[in-house]
Amino acid sequence: MTDLNQKLFIANLISANGVSLNDAQSRMEDETGLSEIVKLEIWKSDGEIRIEVP
């Protein structure tokens, strides 16, 4: 989910269901299976890049 989609999802939960911000964030994380998105920008590399996902 993009950052904008996450914010829209949360805003819709708050406005349509009257839930709190914390509850909406928790529900979004539960329904999407995501709790955090990390973006890496690599500007220059002189060798092999290894990215390990936990």
Side-chain angles (χ1 to χ4, degrees):
M1 243 187 199
T2 65
D3 188 47
L4 177 60
N5 286 342
Q6 289 177 354
K7 289 177 181 177
L8 288 171
F9 186 91
I10 290 169
N12 285 334
L13 284 175
I14 292 171
S15 64
N17 300 321
V19 299
S20 70
L21 175 60
N22 288 337
D23 289 341
Q25 287 174 329
S26 293
R27 190 164 164 189
M28 185 265 314
E29 291 170 2
D30 291 342
E31 291 191 20
T32 61
L34 301 174
S35 59
E36 184 176 338
I37 295 175
V38 177
K39 294 182 182 180
L40 300 176
E41 292 185 32
I42 300 170
W43 295 92
K44 182 179 178 183
S45 172
D46 295 331
E48 182 180 335
I49 298 173
R50 299 186 74 182
I51 300 172
E52 295 185 22
V53 179

